[in-house]
Amino acid sequence: MELTQLTLKETQEGLQTKQFSSVELTQALIRRIKKHNKKINSFITVCESEALEQAKAADQRMSQNEKEPLLGIPIGIKDNYITKGIRTTAASKVLDNYIPQYDATAVTRLKEAGALIIGKCNLDAWGHGSSGEHSAYGNTRNPWDYSRVPGGSSSGSGAAVAADFCIAATGTDTGGSIRQPASYCGVVGLKPTYGRVSRYGIIAMASSTDSIGHLTKTVRDSAAILKITAGKDSLDATTHDMPVEDYEKEMGKPIGGIKIGIPKEYYGEGLDKRIGDKINKALKLLKKIGCKLIQISLPHTEYAYPTYYIIQTAEVSSNLARYDGIRFGQGRTKFGDEAKRRIMGGTHALSTGFQDKYYKQAIRARTLLIQDFLNAFKKVDVLACPVFPFPPFKFGEREADPLQMYLADIFTVTANLTGHPGISIPVGFIEELPVGMQLIAPHFAESLLFKVAGAYEEVTGWYKVKPKLME
Amino acid sequence: MTKKQLMREPTVGLEVHVELLTSSKMFCGCPANHFGVTPNTHTCPVCLGLPGSLPVPNQRAVEWTLLAGLALNCNINLESKFDRKHYFYPDLPKGFQISQYDEPLCQAGFLETSSGKVGITEVHLEEDTGKLLHRKLKGKDVTLVDFNRSGVPLMEIVSEPDIHSGLQAKEFAQKIRNILRYLEISDCDMEKGSMRLEANVSWGKELGYKVEVKNLNSFRFVEQAIDYELTRQKKILEKGGVPRQETRGWAEYDKKTKTQRYKETAADYRYFPEPDIPPMKFSKSYIDQLKDQIPELPDKKAKRFQTSYKLKQNYVEILTSSKALAEYAERSIKVGLNQGLSPEEISGAIINRRINIQSTKPTQLIDILKKQKTERISNSAKLTPLVEQAINDMPQAVEDYKRGKKAAISALIGKVMQLSKGRADASLTKSLLEKRLI
Amino acid sequence: MKKKRSRLTSAQIRHIANLANLSLKDEELNKFRKQLSNVFDFVDKLTEVKTTGIAETSHVTGLINQLRKDKAATENCLTQKEALQPSLKTNRGYFRVKALFKEQ
């Protein structure tokens, strides 16, 4: 097995038992990036020299028996995470040469755990997108098929993990942006509970739905990273003081008796039948290892996307108001079309004469959607839902009409509006293209997600299948 | 009905912005002081509005705003929150100001003035903007921006349009200042800009317009500008017109208000609840606790000084203009009561002799006054020679007095004081002089 | 042709762009007008939902009173150099913008 193919857990063990060094690992990853990234375009910035320097330092510390959990492990950081001294663009020309003066809390925590930053991952500019086609720095390609999209907005992160360019990568999920690329790239994507991980230093998209998470090769890797990034931050007033658990603790324990809810509204006409079949197969397997499958209803599902669109664009229009080119950045003329559309949509939804009809209505509808989920969790322990309504599509296929792109989010947005945690895991392939399924749990029940998803992963081992990167 | 017929009475509302004396800014830990500080050295990602930054509210600023509201007889909203107010301006780094819209901390209060009660619509909390400086660089006009002030806690007090004159507005503003100084939450310095005033002026709530008046940098300007503006508007109304809804600034040099900004449409601030800051909920017991923390306020203290100590109005006004001074005076009076010194004597001494209240303890003051009293010449027989000498030494003053300039007697009293090395009883001296100079 | 309930007019789009401080060319205004009208036509579905008597949700964490002790903490403060670094236009410690007429 190549060093680059190792999971986080395997890397931790390998480094600690001195089977290889951080420098060797980092060099192997950089070689792989140089060989394949030109085509895939996962990174806006590759931090080659910095990463190697940090790898050297990490090896030094390891030789002195320091044991930080991520010591010497190269991670990709989505380029909407502020990184001190490292160019941060949000994949927009507005921030083309922005070198931030501070680190995001999530970055600080990863660094303090010993991780090294191998590069800044590409994304749909500002997080606005579900395909990876909206970066000002070029499309990211799906490592499984270069003519198809990797999903977004954490497109570079998903592709980088799938292509073994880094051991793990961070992401953000505002309407599905971690779960979607995870699904299309065949990796594990975690959207934690809103307020579980600090948003300080994450370029804000929609403040009340932005969830700070990560993409990994396995479920256990995901749990390991959450242990590090989760927890109250005095710089983010929306972080919860719920204690941070040992998220790996429940993994491997029997999952008998766990009730899995299947929301009927998610499995109707809008879902590609082949995806429905793959998910059904996965659910049957979970039933076989002890879970109960229970049909439930989330009655307000059809209003989820309009609710999300209004609230998200309203908050986007507000959060992007600071980009006036005075203290940093190139100014508002450099916004791309999608950003302009969303700024204008949100401005309209908040403006005098329209605020009641749109914004006020949306924040009441949000309450109804939350009630749907809370009612469901009275009957079941987790929900199982599709991620995308259709398999990875070709570039340009859904570009002509912005609305068509937006509707790719219908299965993911509700968990953002309600704040619930969700994990997307690979459940197989359709014509050699990955398919993901998401599990959603009650607030702060990430351990349950890892437990169930981990049990499934253990039996199926989908993560062992790797894309064959085209030369 | 014509506008002239509808014209009721001067209708003035005041908006007071007050910088709170907290150690740190409203939403970040930067030092809140900015006066005279090197530009852009008290900033951080939050108050600079850098990408990714988030606001975390200052507890003391919230408490002080509640105290101010309670001192102004307001109802406290037990559930309150912050909202975003959107507009674009270079001194506003985020493109929105975190303020309060529909659930302010305090509402529906009032303040008594000598010409009637003025309602307080609300007291709310927000953040200050950066500072703009207008300069010429290489012959070209530019605007420079300093964000040291950006994010400083700003309390806004909005009055009902119950004010009827420039004079009343001035009194209102002075009372607000005194109350806030008593609470020790702001130094309310108009010159430094820690207290800023804006007036909304019209001749009636139903005339369909109101004029915003800015650039009121002193209490004197407040009075003058409002009176000027009322007159200006009256002239227009009497001719059958309606004053334009606009913003005007007081131009001190010309003693006029001048058009600053004229907008066709009102601003659309697109307020919505601040998603980065969870709401605030206060218990009734917490608010009651805060109420207990409010010291005796100037008006109440003044009334009590008048009734308990029978002090004259002008003495009371001076003593209660500062809480420290009032407390010092009261302590001194209490010490002096058992030692044969009247509240009036003690107050007079503190005011006229400009006693340094920091260095002279009340007990020390009383000792000094007692000593001077025992040494005081209150005996007519003893004073008469000094009176004669003063009359001899100051023939001009005597002539002025005899010719009707009664105030000239002060010079003569002063002379007697000088001759007696300050020990002459002032009022006895005065009556002796008056009898002598008939 | 299906009636577009949310057809945005050119004047409305221009007003929105103005409020949002976006200067757009005519072709852009027209393009966005069509696209946004289309989106809002779909989003209008939201008006079907009965929400009278339903509380508004602005926060999902359930947190309240997340207030900070008033202490000047300089660990996050930037130096003047750091503050000005990313700007394209500065002058002697200040950020520099086009002249504005005196307002205050």
Side-chain angles (χ1 to χ4, degrees), chain A residues 326 337 341 358 361 363 367, chain C residues 31 35 44 51 55 57 87:
Chain A
I326 294 174
D337 275 3
R341 262 193 293 273
Y358 293 122
Q361 174 74 342
I363 59 179
T367 306
Chain C
K31 172 176 73 180
Q35 290 172 334
D44 263 359
T51 59
T57 294
S87 174

Side-chain angles (χ1 to χ4, degrees), chain A residues 232-467:
Chain A
K232 187 146 189 75
D233 182 13
S234 60
L235 295 172
D236 177 353
T238 60
T239 50
H240 215 282
D241 49 18
M242 193 69 142
V244 178
E245 302 163 41
D246 176 355
Y247 288 113
E248 296 178 63
K249 209 172 76 159
E250 290 297 300
M251 293 183 71
K253 292 199 185 147
I255 61 171
I258 288 181
K259 299 193 272 265
I260 301 180
I262 299 162
K264 64 176 196 223
E265 292 84 0
Y266 283 49
Y267 293 91
E269 270 187 23
L271 178 64
D272 184 307
K273 195 177 172 302
R274 298 168 293 173
I275 296 183
D277 287 344
K278 288 290 169 192
I279 293 180
N280 267 326
K281 233 173 135 189
L283 290 173
K284 278 207 184 86
L285 198 145
L286 281 165
K287 187 172 176 189
K288 206 162 144 210
I289 56 181
C291 294
K292 284 197 170 73
L293 304 180
I294 298 176
Q295 292 283 328
I296 57 148
S297 170
L298 296 172
H300 294 92
T301 298
E302 68 178 298
Y303 302 111
Y305 194 79
T307 303
Y308 170 75
Y309 177 83
I310 296 296
I311 294 174
Q312 175 248 131
T313 56
E315 293 180 358
V316 161
S317 71
S318 177
N319 287 327
L320 295 187
R322 67 189 63 195
Y323 298 93
D324 56 11
I326 294 174
R327 292 142 288 125
F328 54 84
Q330 312 292 321
R332 300 176 84 67
T333 56
K334 297 284 198 247
F335 276 124
D337 275 3
E338 186 58 36
K340 285 181 183 168
R341 262 193 293 273
R342 296 195 189 205
I343 290 170
M344 291 176 66
T347 303
H348 181 55
L350 288 171
S351 62
T352 304
F354 294 97
Q355 207 192 75
D356 282 338
K357 177 180 184 190
Y358 293 122
Y359 184 76
K360 290 255 160 73
Q361 174 74 342
I363 59 179
R364 288 190 293 260
R366 187 172 187 175
T367 306
L368 295 172
L369 291 161
I370 292 171
Q371 272 172 24
D372 277 4
F373 267 47
L374 293 181
N375 288 338
F377 285 127
K378 285 188 189 137
K379 304 191 184 107
V380 301
D381 301 309
V382 295
L383 306 176
C385 311
V387 178
F388 266 111
F390 30 74
F393 47 94
K394 287 202 185 272
F395 285 104
E397 228 178 84
R398 302 184 75 82
E399 265 306 87
D401 180 4
L403 187 58
Q404 286 312 304
M405 186 63 79
Y406 297 157
L407 294 178
D409 297 349
I410 50 172
F411 299 135
T412 47
V413 295
T414 312
N416 295 94
L417 290 170
T418 64
H420 286 93
I423 192 167
S424 171
I425 51 173
V427 293
F429 294 85
I430 292 169
E431 290 165 28
E432 297 180 11
L433 299 168
V435 184
M437 171 183 81
Q438 61 172 324
L439 297 171
I440 300 173
H443 287 152
F444 301 106
E446 284 87 348
S447 283
L448 186 55
L449 289 177
F450 295 132
K451 185 174 177 180
V452 179
Y456 174 82
E457 179 184 77
E458 175 121 13
V459 175
T460 56
W462 290 116
Y463 67 92
K464 294 184 189 140
V465 184
K466 299 267 183 196

Side-chain angles (χ1 to χ4, degrees), chain A residues 102 199 201 318-319 327 352 355, chain B residues 48 51-52 84 86 93 268 271:
Chain A
Y102 74 106
R199 290 182 299 117
S318 177
N319 287 327
R327 292 142 288 125
T352 304
Q355 207 192 75
Chain B
L48 266 185
R84 291 188 181 180
H86 300 85
D268 183 355
Y271 287 100

